[in-house]
Amino acid sequence: SFSFLFFSPQEELRELREQPTDPQAEQEIIDSIEEVYFSSDSFDTVQYELEKLPSDLNLLELEEYRDKLKRQQAAVSKRVADLILEKQPSYVKELERVTSLQTNLQLAAVICTNARRQLHAAKEGFTEASLGLLANQRRRQLLTGLLKSLRTIKTLQRTDVRLSEMLEEEDYPGAIQLCLECQKAASTFKHYNCIRWEQLDVALSKTCKHFDVSHYTKVQLAYKLLGKTQTAMDQLHMHFTQAIHNTVFQVVLGYVELCAGNADTKFQKMPYKDLCTHITTDSYIPCLTDLCKALWEVMLSYHLTMQWHDEHYKEEETTPGAGNAEGSDESTVGRSYVKKKLEHGLTRIWQDVQLKVKAYLLGTDVSNFKYDDFIVVLDVISRLMQVGEEFCGSKSELLQESIKRQSVNYFKNYHRTRLEELRMFLENETWELCPVKSNFSIAQLHEFRFMGQCRSPSVSPSRQPESTEPVELCLFEQYLQGGNPFEMQIDNKDEETEDVLASNGYESDELEKSVYQDYDSDSDVPEELKQDYVDEQTGDGPVKSVSRETLRSRKRSDYNAPILTNTTLNVIRLVGKYMQMMNILKPIAFDVIHCVSQLFDYYLYAVYTFFGRNDMYESSGLGLISSRLRTTLSRIQESLINMVSPHASPEERKEKVPSPHLSQLVVLTSSDTLYGLAERVVATESLVFLAEQFEFLQPHLDTTMPSAKKPFLQQFYSQTVSTASELRKPIYWIVAAKAIDYEQMLLLMAGVKWDIKEIMSQHNVYVDVLLKEFEKFNQRLGDVSKIVRIPLPVSNVLWEHCIRLANRTLVEGYANVKKCSNEGRALMQLDFQQFLMKLEKLTDLRPIPDKEFVETYIKAYYLTENDMEQFIKNHREYSMKQLTNLVNVCLGSHINKKARQKLLAAIDDIDRPKR
């Protein structure tokens, strides 16, 4: 469409011939054409060019522009002409082919027309006339035969009427003959739908869910008459498999649709495995319970089916003439087949049950379930595994693997949260006494009731070891007449809570507060408690009033109650919960026990960190922390305590817990409270109590622990639990070290003159000052005992520490003496004997600790050179300074300078390995 209004066609041809033949120049002219000319066929070139004209026309410029357009048109026309010439041979050749094809098509049309005409003639003359007659004749014959068969079948249906008539006529041979003919006729026409056995198959399938003896007997008898007993068994197993699938699908589908509301999702078309992922958390347990109930019905039906066959075959064997001679071998083979088929089916059906329940278990993440809810899940699955064991002797590997996977996942998350909670409890614990009854036992706690019900850990959770019957009935026997083993499993949660706190009908809050005060006084007992006690629930009064002695005895008994805190109680409850889980799910027993040990470890570490950590232990020389306790504390710190920075990776934080910090409400620096002795007693003795509970639980834990992991449990008890009481020494030593002013005693001893020349009959003043300190300590100890009971072992440790520190201070004071005579040594002995005599009246601790430590040091003054050298080698409990002073003080009396050098060298040799 490259044409213009500026020149005629003749001019175009002339211009075309005048164009240069240089291809490159020609291509450049074509490239210079504007793109708009190639846009579409509807493009109006004339309008386009006229619109481009400027308002002021210049003839010379117009002619130049026209010449340019003419050159472009010429180039395009020449290119088109060249292309046409180039394609001319191909065009001619293709035209010849088209002409030839047209001729062939015309010939084919003539051939097809002739063929159709001839086929039409054959159809009218042969097919419709001859073959049609044959087909009609064949159909007539088939219908005639069918009519005959239908008449025979109709006769069969009316046979029962004729049989009744013949029996009334007493024509027994005729009746038997008629029966035989009917059986023969029935077998002849069994290929008809009306003779097929679909209804019998449906009747067989109904036994898979609700087994009925009479119904099943009829069905089996019918199959036996047909000679299809083995086929019936094959069909039966297929029906059981289908029943399991349909049952679980319908149960889960019902809950999913119920919880989904009006959702448009087509749940019915979902695979069962995907359907299980749509179960909500709230409906998880009810659905699981209903699932197990439904599967129980199927398994019970199978169990009853096997039972029916066992009893039926026993009857056949014991009944004379039960089978004819000809069919006895065949009957034996059939029974053998049925027996093997049924036994093999047990495993297959249980495998199907496991697969369905496994898919359900793994379809939901249960890691965030509440503890009680998860315990219910474990209980239901535990009961299901017991069913499997009784059903076919299976160990339920699939169920164990799936519930173990869920349990480990749940337990790690649960334990991590509990450890964080324990840290929070410990950091907010003010270490005040939690008042419990004197007869408190962990068996009274709800969490440990499973131990009373037990069930040895080696048997199934629902079986009781002690029973009035000699042999316990299995589940299939228990629920044979009705009911379901999964019906009552989740109804035991709302039991009444235990009553372990000290308050009861005889005590008010005020009396509760005064439990640990003056025992012999009842002035603090409210008046209403001195009157007759009235039962708040019934309104009935007792036979006699409660006397003051009764109240006083009750106070005394509560005074002897265990020392524990709210945190201790929480830890004990937590251990109970862990043990419940471990008892129900033995595959993760080791994981649970390991976590139980961490609870104790963290509690022990917290008590040590809060009350027992001190850098002066090593310098005291008292051996306050044993190597075993030191190893335990190091192990706990390394394996459980997160000592790294807060910027540590999540993996590092996940496995460990930050070190706890003592609550700011707990003050341990006040001398008025004996440096927090009450809190220290509550903390330490609650730990000892916790250790005692762990000792009580050891046999149960040991029976649950896998044999390969038992060394871990034994080591935990021998290395950790048994060290709890060892914390008393370092914790109470801090109190003993501050409770008595030992520095004042050293200053007073420094002012005493020991190089006296005559025997003294009066002891020194520092002894009285020291004894007054002990009396003051004893009084403050009594004050603390009104707040919290101080057990005898604690009292003994405190007195032992104080006395040992006092005795070591005495030795240190004697070692500071520059000059001392024999009379001075006698005065030392007098002072010490006075101290011992008065001290024995203050404490019942016997023997007095470190008594020999002081006496031996004083008597060492009298030793000769050789004896003193041996003394230095044998008594490494004395410091280098104390031994050196002993030698120096003896110089001039019975040791010369040469001997002094020898003895000092011996002291230096003893001390050298310590450097």
Side-chain angles (χ1 to χ4, degrees), residues 402-537:
S402 55
I403 200 66
K404 180 180 180 181
R405 195 193 313 177
Q406 285 286 43
S407 298
V408 170
N409 183 29
Y410 174 84
F411 193 72
K412 283 183 178 178
N413 186 57
Y414 182 80
H415 178 61
R416 177 67 195 169
T417 308
R418 299 291 82 75
L419 273 180
E420 287 294 342
E421 283 182 1
L422 178 56
R423 180 170 72 94
M424 182 188 70
F425 275 122
L426 289 167
E427 291 185 345
N428 288 280
E429 178 65 69
T430 55
W431 303 102
E432 293 179 356
L433 202 61
C434 176
V436 293
K437 294 180 178 179
S438 58
N439 63 345
F440 170 75
S441 165
I442 61 171
Q444 299 166 359
L445 298 176
H446 173 74
E447 288 79 4
F448 289 91
R449 289 189 180 176
F450 73 95
M451 292 178 64
Q453 301 166 358
C454 232
R455 94 201 197 188
S456 167
S458 59
V459 298
S460 183
S462 25
R463 297 187 181 179
Q464 307 291 332
E466 296 180 4
S467 175
T468 54
E469 300 176 9
V471 179
E472 185 184 6
L473 292 174
C474 74
L475 293 175
F476 288 97
E477 293 171 345
Q478 288 181 43
Y479 298 95
L480 191 63
Q481 303 302 324
N484 197 298
F486 298 97
E487 282 176 351
M488 303 304 292
Q489 292 306 300
I490 58 174
D491 297 335
N492 300 327
K493 290 168 62 176
D494 300 327
E495 297 179 5
E496 61 181 55
T497 56
E498 68 281 359
D499 179 21
V500 296
L501 298 180
S503 65
N504 53 46
Y506 295 97
E507 298 166 343
S508 71
D509 291 339
E510 312 204 344
L511 181 58
E512 184 76 31
K513 292 175 187 173
S514 63
V515 165
Y516 303 105
Q517 294 174 5
D518 185 10
Y519 321 133
D520 296 326
S521 170
D522 61 348
S523 60
D524 54 348
V525 181
E527 282 300 320
E528 60 268 21
L529 291 180
K530 299 176 184 177
Q531 301 170 2
D532 289 353
Y533 166 65
V534 178
D535 192 316
E536 293 179 2
Q537 294 183 356

Side-chain angles (χ1 to χ4, degrees), residues 37-240:
Y37 284 100
F38 301 101
S39 59
S40 66
D41 293 339
S42 62
F43 175 63
D44 190 346
T45 57
V46 176
Q47 182 68 26
Y48 176 72
E49 290 300 335
L50 287 175
E51 288 176 354
K52 282 178 62 180
L53 290 176
S55 56
D56 298 330
L57 299 176
N58 187 313
L59 181 60
L60 183 59
E61 290 177 357
L62 281 175
E63 286 180 347
E64 287 179 359
Y65 187 61
R66 186 191 68 168
D67 291 343
K68 177 184 176 185
L69 291 174
K70 284 166 68 179
R71 284 194 298 275
Q72 290 176 347
Q73 183 190 26
V76 171
S77 299
K78 186 174 184 303
R79 175 65 62 83
V80 172
D82 289 344
L83 290 172
I84 291 172
L85 290 172
E86 183 182 342
K87 302 296 182 181
Q88 181 67 23
S90 300
Y91 169 72
V92 173
K93 187 176 179 182
E94 190 64 28
L95 189 59
E96 289 175 355
R97 289 179 60 197
V98 170
T99 306
S100 173
L101 181 60
Q102 184 178 5
T103 305
N104 290 336
L105 286 173
Q106 290 172 349
L107 179 60
V110 172
I111 293 170
C112 286
T113 302
N114 292 336
R116 285 181 178 177
R117 186 173 58 253
Q118 290 170 1
L119 282 172
H120 182 71
K123 179 182 177 184
E124 289 179 349
F126 177 71
T127 306
E128 291 182 355
S130 304
L131 295 180
L133 288 171
L134 291 173
N136 287 335
Q137 176 64 19
R138 183 173 178 274
R139 191 178 297 112
R140 181 173 176 272
Q141 290 176 344
L142 288 173
L143 289 172
T144 303
L146 179 60
L147 182 61
K148 183 180 178 182
S149 297
L150 288 173
R151 284 174 178 164
T152 307
I153 291 170
K154 186 178 181 181
T155 304
L156 285 172
Q157 289 179 333
R158 296 178 178 176
T159 302
D160 57 341
V161 179
R162 179 59 186 150
L163 276 173
S164 299
E165 293 174 354
M166 295 178 77
L167 289 172
E168 288 177 3
E169 297 169 1
E170 297 185 354
D171 185 6
Y172 299 116
I176 293 172
Q177 184 64 34
L178 182 58
C179 284
L180 293 174
E181 289 175 1
C182 286
Q183 287 182 358
K184 185 176 180 182
S187 63
T188 305
F189 298 111
K190 64 184 179 182
H191 56 281
Y192 291 111
N193 285 335
C194 60
I195 309 297
R196 286 183 185 170
W197 309 106
E198 277 88 353
Q199 191 172 354
L200 191 57
D201 193 48
V202 171
L204 181 66
S205 68
K206 290 180 180 178
T207 64
C208 295
K209 289 187 179 178
H210 303 288
F211 185 86
D212 181 78
V213 176
S214 60
H215 176 78
Y216 189 73
T217 304
K218 292 176 183 178
V219 173
Q220 282 295 326
L221 185 58
Y223 273 107
K224 184 177 180 181
L225 289 172
L226 294 171
K228 294 183 177 291
T229 305
Q230 294 185 13
T231 306
M233 274 298 104
D234 297 337
Q235 287 293 106
L236 184 65
H237 283 82
M238 183 190 72
H239 289 314
F240 267 105

Side-chain angles (χ1 to χ4, degrees), residues 563-577:
I563 297 176
L564 68 157
T565 67
N566 287 324
T567 304
T568 322
L569 209 53
N570 282 326
V571 172
I572 292 171
R573 289 182 185 276
L574 203 53
V575 171
K577 290 182 176 181

Side-chain angles (χ1 to χ4, degrees), residues 776-873:
K776 183 180 176 183
F777 169 73
N778 191 34
Q779 182 182 356
R780 287 158 74 189
L781 205 59
D783 294 339
V784 173
S785 68
K786 296 176 182 179
I787 303 171
V788 59
R789 174 173 65 89
I790 299 181
L792 184 60
V794 177
S795 176
N796 288 343
V797 167
L798 282 166
W799 278 100
E800 179 188 350
H801 280 332
C802 288
I803 294 170
R804 292 184 73 184
L805 285 168
N807 285 339
R808 286 170 183 267
T809 305
L810 287 172
V811 171
E812 187 66 18
Y814 297 151
N816 290 332
V817 175
K818 302 298 181 183
K819 294 181 180 179
C820 183
S821 61
N822 288 340
E823 292 79 8
R825 286 292 168 180
L827 181 58
M828 289 180 184
Q829 287 182 320
L830 175 66
D831 290 346
F832 186 60
Q833 291 303 319
Q834 176 68 17
F835 171 66
L836 290 179
M837 183 179 67
K838 297 286 185 179
L839 186 64
E840 286 177 348
K841 295 179 180 178
L842 292 176
T843 177
D844 294 330
L845 190 63
R846 300 290 185 274
I848 298 296
D850 280 354
K851 175 183 174 183
E852 296 80 6
F853 184 77
V854 181
E855 291 176 341
T856 303
Y857 188 79
I858 295 173
K859 293 175 182 176
Y861 176 81
Y862 303 106
L863 295 175
T864 61
E865 175 188 337
N866 292 334
D867 290 339
M868 187 169 287
E869 184 177 1
Q870 192 63 38
F871 175 87
I872 289 169
K873 292 179 181 179

